[in-house]
Amino acid sequence: MAFKLKVSAPFICMMVLVLATGSNGGGISIYWGQNGNEGTLADTCATGNYEYVNIAFLATFGNGQTPMINLAGHCDPYSNGCTGLSSDIKSCQAKGVKVILSIGGGAGSYSLASSDDARQVATYLWNNFLGGTSSSRPLGPAILDGIDFDIEGGTGEYWDDLAKYLSGYSKKGKKVYLTAAPQCPFPDAWIGNALKTGLFDYVWVQFYNNPPCQYSSADIANLEDAWKQWTSDIPATNIFLGLPAAPDAAGSGFIPVNDLTSKVLPAIKNSSKYGGVMLWSKYYDDQSGYSSSIKSHV
């Protein structure tokens, strides 16, 4: 006698979801914007490799400066040439990719002079990139998902205030995600205090250009010790392993695919705060194919 088991559609969907995510399955976060030869933002999201795309960078802001975005060869913000990115942003979001504006960077001109300055910068970000309104939105009308703090210069003051002011805008409707890219030496010299606020959703720690806490071929201990400190001491939803996507993408810290999948990820994925891997950057990922090689292991 044939016996047919009826399985409801929601159950099937749930099983597929469980199989797809696996245990402590993570996502990949990528930085896009600093090389005109890395393809469009829409193409970046269409690869299906990334759950988060950080648009890099709003490199000038704070301390009385006129805020200015810098997207290298992609578009010219001085002639409103970046507003066309709105269709790309919406295309990404339609695929479930979170699109985040990264502020700062390694070569920007930025600082916060006071708590009030932080409030003004938050207001600018809300009106020009998030859910507010402005006649001069640099990326057009699309509403980004959040703000990434890639603070690598200036002082460590008032970034906690900026996080608080930005977080407050979540009460106005769409959640404003807050993310950060601190250096792996703990605590971070610039945003260490801001990270203590517990307001950050995703923290992609830069485990490169920092020999004391990055991976070396003979030793995972330094990276593992730093990882444990970050995951135990920072009240964030998820912590990511930030890496260069190719040897040329950073001065040091590149991890070969086999080492990452066989040694490093197994050592850190058991953390409940493990969120995945962050890569710098889309341009270098195009050269190496790194994200495609690691995606099923992340």
Side-chain angles (χ1 to χ4, degrees):
M1 183 176 75
F3 176 73
K4 290 186 178 178
L5 176 66
K6 286 189 71 177
V7 181
S8 66
F11 178 79
I12 293 172
C13 290
M14 186 177 73
M15 287 300 294
V16 169
L17 186 64
V18 169
L19 289 170
T21 55
S23 61
N24 274 12
I28 298 177
S29 173
I30 194 80
Y31 279 83
W32 175 93
Q34 283 302 293
N35 192 302
N37 297 315
E38 63 194 343
T40 68
L41 181 60
D43 289 343
T44 297
C45 295
T47 64
N49 285 356
Y50 316 115
E51 278 71 26
Y52 316 89
V53 176
N54 301 286
I55 297 180
F57 292 103
L58 182 76
T60 302
F61 64 89
N63 204 16
Q65 301 177 95
T66 300
M68 185 55 66
I69 198 165
N70 176 329
L71 297 181
H74 287 289
C75 53
D76 177 18
Y78 291 93
S79 61
N80 278 336
C82 300
T83 56
L85 280 173
S86 263
S87 59
D88 286 40
I89 293 165
K90 291 173 182 176
S91 167
C92 291
Q93 291 170 330
K95 292 177 172 66
V97 178
K98 287 185 172 59
V99 185
I100 298 160
L101 175 69
S102 186
I103 64 172
S109 170
Y110 52 85
S111 63
L112 298 174
S114 64
S115 178
D116 189 58
D117 191 20
R119 182 185 59 78
Q120 291 179 44
V121 169
T123 301
Y124 170 81
L125 292 169
W126 169 254
N127 286 332
N128 287 277
F129 297 99
L130 300 169
T133 54
S134 164
S135 60
S136 59
R137 289 174 69 95
L139 303 180
I143 298 173
L144 297 182
D145 293 291
I147 303 295
D148 175 58
F149 289 44
D150 183 13
I151 307 305
E152 303 185 35
T155 74
E157 291 190 286
Y158 308 114
W159 301 111
D160 52 344
D161 290 321
L162 181 59
K164 290 169 189 171
Y165 288 126
L166 285 170
S167 180
Y169 283 113
S170 287
K171 299 183 181 74
K172 298 202 170 192
K174 181 177 176 179
K175 174 178 168 62
V176 176
Y177 285 87
L178 295 183
T179 70
Q183 311 293 312
C184 60
F186 189 92
D188 183 78
W190 293 287
I191 51 172
N193 284 335
L195 292 171
K196 290 178 187 172
T197 62
L199 297 173
F200 286 82
D201 299 285
Y202 311 121
V203 177
W204 10 84
V205 183
Q206 296 185 43
F207 284 90
Y208 53 94
N209 293 335
N210 287 295
C213 46
Q214 70 191 30
Y215 177 78
S216 66
S217 57
D219 189 16
I220 192 178
N222 289 346
L223 183 151
E224 199 172 1
D225 288 347
W227 175 264
K228 286 174 181 173
Q229 185 158 32
W230 279 99
T231 52
S232 61
D233 291 359
I234 292 298
T237 309
N238 288 120
I239 309 288
F240 288 65
L241 179 72
L243 298 173
D248 292 346
S252 62
F254 176 74
I255 303 179
V257 169
N258 286 342
D259 287 11
L260 181 72
T261 57
S262 67
K263 298 178 186 176
V264 180
L265 289 179
I268 67 172
K269 284 183 74 173
N270 58 1
S271 165
S272 61
K273 286 189 180 176
Y274 170 79
V277 173
M278 173 273 277
L279 297 176
W280 175 269
S281 62
K282 172 60 166 51
Y283 172 76
Y284 291 103
D285 195 28
D286 286 348
Q287 312 305 307
S288 66
Y290 199 80
S291 66
S292 295
S293 299
I294 69 169
K295 184 171 175 56
S296 63
H297 300 273
V298 172

